[in-house]
Amino acid sequence: MTLTPQVADFAKRSILCWLATVDEAGQPNVSPKEIFAVFDPQHLVIANIASPTSVRNLAANRHVCVSFVDVFVQKGFKVVGTARNVRPHEPDFSQWAAPLQAMAGPRFSIHSVIVVSAEGVEPILAPSYRLYPDDTTEASQVAAAMQAYGVQKRTSA
């Protein structure tokens, strides 16, 4: 499965993605990433802003899992594949970094770009969608999440 427009939409709606890597001893590491994007139908790009453990793990094992969820509708996607760390001195760095630099602006320095080649994509759904399909809608999930987080919809000014 490729990174479809629906996957890209959920990536844009997600505040963080979670990058799972494994070190040389098999110890997993899951790390939040704030600057990420679907680059094309086969690749995700993630900014290495402060990710020494993720980068070190990628040098030992290129297999990764990335997940992102819209916390309000409680749906998202899991992407599995392999990744490589592209550093600024490499010729294709600018290409991979372009969408991330626009997101990072002057606030964050991008030390490298983690380029994930997607090999599989699966949906992530809150259990309510499966356990109570007749009662669970995106609207009901949004309402429940807004109540749980203590937030309200913005009113037009």
Side-chain angles (χ1 to χ4, degrees):
M1 180 181 211
T2 63
L3 302 172
T4 64
Q6 181 186 24
V7 174
D9 178 55
F10 272 90
K12 287 178 190 171
R13 293 168 31 192
S14 301
I15 303 300
L16 297 172
C17 75
W18 298 88
L19 174 64
T21 59
V22 180
D23 70 13
E24 65 281 347
Q27 180 65 43
N29 179 68
V30 178
S31 178
K33 307 301 180 201
E34 190 172 352
I35 309 290
F36 66 101
V38 171
F39 185 84
D40 63 25
Q42 298 301 320
H43 299 94
L44 286 173
V45 288
I46 302 170
N48 169 14
I49 296 167
S51 305
T53 302
S54 297
V55 168
R56 186 172 48 254
N57 287 355
L58 288 175
N61 185 334
R62 295 184 56 208
H63 294 279
V64 298
C65 179
V66 180
S67 63
F68 43 88
V69 173
D70 177 322
V71 295
F72 290 102
V73 298
Q74 300 175 40
K75 291 181 177 179
F77 287 92
K78 174 177 86 169
V79 178
V80 295
T82 56
R84 66 185 183 101
N85 188 43
V86 180
R87 294 170 185 83
H89 67 273
E90 296 180 52
D92 56 348
F93 175 82
S94 294
Q95 166 195 338
W96 297 115
L100 303 174
Q101 288 171 328
M103 296 167 73
R107 184 172 176 153
F108 297 108
S109 296
I110 298 175
H111 303 294
S112 63
V113 176
I114 298 167
V115 178
V116 178
S117 296
E119 296 169 5
V121 180
E122 294 179 30
I124 296 172
L125 295 172
S128 296
Y129 286 106
R130 290 186 179 104
L131 297 174
Y132 306 103
D134 296 335
D135 301 331
T136 305
T137 64
E138 286 190 4
S140 71
Q141 292 297 90
V142 169
M146 292 181 89
Q147 182 177 11
Y149 296 135
V151 297
Q152 297 177 0
K153 284 188 178 182
R154 207 186 288 182
T155 58
S156 301

